[in-house]
Amino acid sequence: MQYLPNIVFAIILITGFGFFIKNISKLIRNIKLGKSVDRSDNKAARWKNMAKIALGQYKMVRRPVSGVLHVVVYLGFVITNIEVLAIIIDGLFGTHRVFQPILGEVFYGFLIGTFEILAAMVFVAVVVFWIRRNVINIKRFLNKEMKGWPKSDGNIILYFEMVLMTLFIVMNAADVTFQSGGIGNPISQFVYPLFNGFSSGTLHLIEQSAWWIHIVGILVFLNYLYYSKHLHILLAFPNTFYAKLKPKGQLDNLEAVTKEVQLMMDPNADPYAAPAEDAEDEVPEKFGASDVTDLNWVQLMNAYTCTECGRCTSSCPANLTGKELSPRKIMMDTRDRMEEVGKNIDANGGTFKDDGKQLLNDYISPEELWACTSCNACVQECPVNIDPLSIIMDMRRYLVMEESAAPQELNMMMTNIENNGAPWQYNQQDRLNWKDEE
Amino acid sequence: MIVPTMADMMAQGKQPEVLFWVGAAGSFDDRAKKITRAFVKILQQANVNFAVLGTEESSTGDAAKRAGNEFLFQMQAVTNIEVLNAYEVKTIVTCDPHSFNTLKNEYASLGGNYEVFHHTQFIKKLITEGRLSIDDSVLKNKRVTFHDPCYLGRANDEYESPRDLIKRLGVNLTEMKRNKSTALCCGAGGAQMFKEPEKGNKDINVLRTEDALETKPEIIATGCPYCNTMMTDGVKFKEKEAEVAVLDIAELIAQANNL
């Protein structure tokens, strides 16, 4: 029975990682529901973007308060998690602070001391985040789409981090031997006196409990990611890597349309030609997007990456002037619908069964789509290079090319372009009149 | 004014150094036509050998594309590219950032490869090459703020050329709180120019005009005919048209150089 804790630990660890892998494979499956898009070009620029934007948090600090706090939490979280490695080894082999003798008292003390200070800083930053979300009225946390689960989700993540950081400090504070060493305990030494008068048995129990809850907490948190907006801690990296490199103003030219236009413009094309043999089985390509499966995989990965910070929405001219459009909601809706489609596929043995719903209308209304000025403020603001504008444009394409459902004034504008080469009803022959008008 | 067309040029066996793409607003909108004429005067002062397409120019398709009509966009693009390539056009300048963006970025994959300049970039180039100078005495110390067009700024990362020209005017440039990459849209982009806005609590151009008025300007400088319309309407809405003028950078330079 001596090995019981080790076995229990191994089982917890395997279960935790097992579920995580299962969730991640589901996530990848869902992202692959999207259409293909080639982002294999210019690897050097892509690595650079990832290093600068995801790793280097370059765009975060454009808003200094939340940016700097975020850097603290990010660094603290990443660095203190090195400790998890020690925890896993201790747990599996029944050792205690396995790296202490290997690294030497002083260096080990230095490392743990650094972790303690970082943990305390993370704790403080997270408390400030909580205050920003719940006490101070910061507008971007109060938009319509943030009611209910998104708000709870944000807070749950903060509680997780508070508890995990506290447990790390408590674990060190209750470790009598560690405290008596007097090194590497810059924070926990102030917690240690709270345990004054506790028996060594109780202290050991506290330390062990903190240790166990800490590692179980980390594994639970890891598995919480898939259900939460917090996936950005992983997806920010591929998301910045695969993000568009072209100028923000450049929209893609739909290839399916190019083919049709070439045919229309080709003077040698036979308009009465019989369709090719295999053409009857061919499903004509749908123009634009009405559901998540019409979007490409980068757009779907964008949706999973979004952490709902709302910087996009807080800079959107339409949203700022009270319109329904919120770029953040576009991303949240895309993710919700993708999850729905994913669950549908799981429930129907691997194939999607028509549920009579789609992203358009059931999640995103035409009113939202038509409010966009295509100004790219949302794309510019996103700290992880999400592109809500591309989804809006693809959905407009569907509305116009598949449903002919543009607002009346836009139909007039397009008719004018078709008839006289200008969005207004002017005669093409008058194009040069300006030169004689002064 | 004398404005040669590509057809004239070709008839004489000549090739201009640059094609001036006037754009629909610059050709037909009464306010924008003034910007067009101001820019032509600058080109003439710098002795630039330019031409326009005149009646052979047609909509770039930008508004159609952003309204979701990819068919119409590509039809326009392919037609325009045929004309441009027939005249062997290599270099294009335009006062419209939307045309600039579309011609520069979206025509290439359809067979139209050109070096495209926004007029502020082109004027800056003329100055660098010593072909043009700006008189900094006429508008000296005027309080000016500049509204970044989305399709020049964020869309194509060009923030400095317009500012460089404004500084050469000798004016006092004050930035709005939202400027360069954080600039607020005027509300016209993405085909909004041609429709009523969705319901909300304010018009975007009014919000942006408020940004501008906070800097207490005498002149709001623009670099886009659509921004110009939106800001002019915003200033009227705020009943400030007596104190604040909305002028394109080309118009400011034409004024400064007494053209």
Side-chain angles (χ1 to χ4, degrees):
Chain A
M1 288 308 278
Q2 186 193 346
Y3 295 112
L4 189 63
N6 310 41
I7 294 165
V8 170
F9 183 85
I11 291 170
I12 292 175
L13 198 66
I14 291 166
T15 317
F17 277 105
F19 269 110
F20 178 66
I21 290 166
K22 195 170 156 251
N23 282 337
I24 291 298
S25 50
K26 195 170 281 182
L27 178 127
I28 293 170
R29 195 271 319 265
N30 287 352
I31 288 175
K32 283 186 172 165
L33 292 172
K35 290 184 168 179
S36 70
V37 57
D38 185 17
R39 294 282 163 93
S40 61
D41 60 322
N42 209 343
K43 291 249 162 47
R46 296 187 179 282
W47 283 112
K48 198 179 144 201
N49 265 355
M50 190 172 93
K52 198 163 106 177
I53 298 165
L55 198 66
Q57 308 262 301
Y58 169 76
K59 286 174 91 177
M60 276 307 294
V61 290
R62 280 168 59 109
R63 300 201 186 178
V65 177
S66 54
V68 169
L69 288 168
H70 186 271
V71 171
V72 168
V73 175
Y74 160 73
L75 282 179
F77 203 75
V78 170
I79 296 173
T80 50
N81 271 318
I82 298 173
E83 169 75 6
V84 174
L85 185 67
I87 290 180
I88 290 174
I89 296 173
D90 284 351
L92 286 177
F93 302 104
T95 47
H96 180 70
R97 297 189 183 272
V98 63
F99 288 118
Q100 198 167 20
I102 301 170
L103 298 172
E105 192 98 353
V106 176
F107 186 56
Y108 181 78
F110 169 75
L111 278 183
I112 297 293
T114 312
F115 294 167
E116 281 202 356
I117 291 168
L118 280 168
M121 285 169 70
V122 169
F123 190 89
V124 172
V126 167
V127 169
V128 178
F129 278 151
W130 186 89
I131 293 170
R132 283 169 60 87
R133 277 179 181 266
N134 297 279
V135 184
I136 311 172
N137 287 333
I138 292 177
K139 232 181 115 201
R140 66 182 156 111
F141 298 128
L142 303 172
N143 294 71
K144 268 197 287 197
E145 68 268 22
M146 296 311 285
K147 303 271 184 290
W149 167 247
K151 184 182 165 87
S152 316
D153 185 20
N155 282 332
I156 289 169
I157 292 160
L158 296 177
Y159 299 142
F160 254 117
E161 285 170 7
M162 287 181 209
V163 170
L164 289 178
M165 294 302 140
T166 308
L167 287 168
F168 175 65
I169 301 289
V170 167
M171 182 178 96
N172 285 350
D175 186 335
V176 184
T177 339
F178 179 67
Q179 288 298 329
S180 62
I183 186 164
N185 59 347
I187 306 293
S188 60
Q189 59 177 302
F190 299 106
V191 181
Y192 179 57
L194 295 178
F195 303 134
N196 230 337
F198 283 39
S199 72
S200 63
T202 315
L203 275 173
H204 186 67
L205 191 69
I206 293 174
E207 192 237 334
Q208 282 300 301
S209 309
W211 188 92
W212 279 96
I213 303 170
H214 183 64
I215 184 64
V216 171
I218 287 174
L219 290 172
V220 172
F221 194 43
L222 189 68
N223 280 289
Y224 179 70
L225 293 182
Y226 178 70
Y227 305 96
S228 131
K229 73 187 190 73
H230 212 52
L231 268 174
H232 78 291
I233 64 171
L234 305 172
L235 291 180
F237 296 90
N239 201 74
T240 47
F241 185 85
Y242 289 111
K244 172 168 129 179
L245 293 174
K246 297 185 177 116
K248 283 188 209 60
Q250 180 174 350
L251 290 186
D252 61 332
N253 293 332
L254 269 188
E255 271 177 50
V257 171
T258 310
K259 279 182 228 149
E260 305 248 343
V261 169
Q262 273 166 353
L263 205 64
M264 279 157 83
M265 307 290 276
D266 182 1
N268 301 318
D270 176 6
Y272 305 109
E277 293 261 316
D278 53 349
E280 287 200 11
D281 314 324
E282 238 176 74
V283 185
E285 193 160 353
K286 183 171 165 184
F287 298 121
S290 63
D291 209 348
V292 287
T293 43
D294 305 323
L295 297 169
N296 67 48
W297 65 270
V298 173
Q299 292 169 316
L300 297 185
M301 180 170 66
N302 278 181
Y304 271 130
T305 309
C306 175
T307 197
E308 300 164 16
C309 72
R311 290 183 182 208
C312 51
T313 295
S314 73
S315 62
C316 171
N319 194 275
L320 285 171
T321 52
K323 276 91 177 168
E324 282 292 320
L325 174 63
S326 162
R328 169 172 55 192
K329 179 178 172 291
I330 299 287
M331 302 319 299
M332 292 166 75
D333 286 343
T334 303
R335 176 170 175 176
D336 288 347
R337 174 59 183 160
M338 178 167 43
E339 276 294 304
E340 188 176 57
V341 171
K343 281 184 189 139
N344 180 313
I345 292 172
D346 290 335
N348 294 298
T351 47
F352 179 70
K353 207 171 141 207
D354 188 10
D355 58 356
K357 289 209 235 167
Q358 55 176 3
L359 183 60
L360 181 68
N361 296 323
D362 296 306
Y363 288 85
I364 300 172
S365 69
E367 182 182 341
E368 292 165 63
L369 298 170
W370 291 117
C372 175
T373 70
S374 74
C375 76
N376 266 307
C378 55
V379 184
Q380 178 79 40
E381 281 301 313
C382 181
V384 290
N385 282 15
I386 290 169
D387 187 353
L389 176 59
S390 70
I391 297 178
I392 295 172
M393 284 299 150
D394 282 344
M395 293 184 77
R396 279 190 181 182
R397 284 169 170 175
Y398 176 84
L399 280 172
V400 170
M401 291 192 284
E402 296 282 350
E403 307 238 287
S404 304
Q408 187 48 33
E409 306 111 298
L410 289 188
N411 279 331
M412 279 158 60
M413 176 271 286
M414 293 187 282
T415 307
N416 288 333
I417 292 181
E418 264 183 81
N419 293 341
N420 48 276
W424 303 284
Q425 219 173 15
Y426 290 106
N427 192 327
Q428 173 111 21
Q429 294 310 311
D430 294 337
R431 260 205 186 246
L432 201 47
N433 290 2
W434 55 267
K435 81 178 164 77
D436 303 315
E437 283 178 7
E438 205 170 19
Chain B
M1 50 185 18
I2 297 161
V3 181
T5 63
M6 290 301 290
D8 299 339
M9 285 277 191
M10 200 181 212
Q12 297 164 34
K14 288 189 209 152
Q15 181 71 17
E17 65 172 287
V18 64
L19 168 75
F20 172 28
W21 184 275
V22 184
S27 305
F28 294 120
D29 179 84
D30 283 333
R31 177 67 191 84
K33 281 192 265 189
K34 294 183 184 165
I35 302 170
T36 305
R37 285 192 290 265
F39 182 57
V40 167
K41 288 174 191 165
I42 296 168
L43 290 174
Q44 288 170 340
Q45 192 188 27
N47 287 317
V48 176
N49 180 12
F50 75 98
V52 299
L53 282 172
T55 56
E56 288 185 281
E57 190 185 287
S58 187
S59 162
T60 56
D62 156 78
K65 188 177 179 78
R66 267 116 195 122
N69 196 338
E70 184 72 7
F71 267 107
L72 182 52
F73 162 71
Q74 292 202 17
M75 293 289 284
Q76 287 298 120
V78 170
T79 315
N80 285 325
I81 289 167
E82 253 177 40
V83 174
L84 291 167
N85 289 355
Y87 284 122
E88 295 178 11
V89 170
K90 302 272 179 293
T91 313
I92 302 176
V93 62
T94 176
C95 301
D96 171 10
H98 297 263
S99 296
F100 167 72
N101 177 68
T102 300
L103 293 166
K104 174 174 163 287
N105 298 321
E106 291 166 354
Y107 275 24
S109 77
L110 300 170
N113 291 285
Y114 319 105
E115 189 182 12
V116 187
F117 292 91
H118 183 245
H119 66 314
T120 58
Q121 296 174 321
F122 195 77
I123 296 171
K124 190 184 163 194
K125 188 168 158 273
L126 293 175
I127 294 170
T128 324
E129 290 167 356
R131 299 167 70 183
L132 182 80
S133 59
I134 297 178
D135 183 343
D136 63 0
S137 64
V138 176
L139 295 168
K140 189 127 211 114
N141 294 331
K142 286 262 185 198
R143 283 199 311 279
V144 175
T145 191
F146 175 63
H147 165 72
D148 287 275
C150 301
Y151 275 83
L152 184 65
R154 274 188 296 271
N156 288 293
D157 287 315
E158 176 59 272
Y159 304 108
E160 291 314 318
S161 289
R163 285 179 172 74
D164 179 85
L165 298 183
I166 291 171
K167 282 172 195 153
R168 287 173 195 271
L169 290 161
V171 299
N172 190 349
L173 174 66
T174 312
E175 294 287 356
M176 296 183 225
K177 64 178 184 216
R178 295 185 258 226
N179 64 71
K180 297 184 184 171
S181 68
T182 61
L184 186 75
C185 173
C186 71
Q192 297 293 339
M193 183 74 191
F194 308 101
K195 62 185 263 297
E196 286 302 311
E198 275 56 38
K199 69 173 195 311
N201 51 34
K202 196 179 238 181
D203 280 338
I204 296 171
N205 66 325
V206 172
L207 182 62
R208 186 51 170 167
T209 305
E210 287 166 355
D211 281 3
L213 294 179
E214 271 176 30
T215 68
K216 306 251 176 289
E218 292 164 274
I219 296 165
I220 299 171
T222 59
C224 166
Y226 300 104
C227 294
N228 191 298
T229 303
M230 296 308 264
M231 299 304 281
T232 305
D233 288 351
V235 169
K236 277 186 199 145
F237 181 85
K238 288 276 162 188
E239 297 177 343
K240 292 278 180 199
E241 65 266 40
E243 300 122 79
V244 184
V246 181
L247 293 164
D248 192 274
I249 292 176
E251 293 178 297
L252 291 172
I253 294 172
Q255 246 184 54
N257 286 5
N258 202 15
L259 298 174

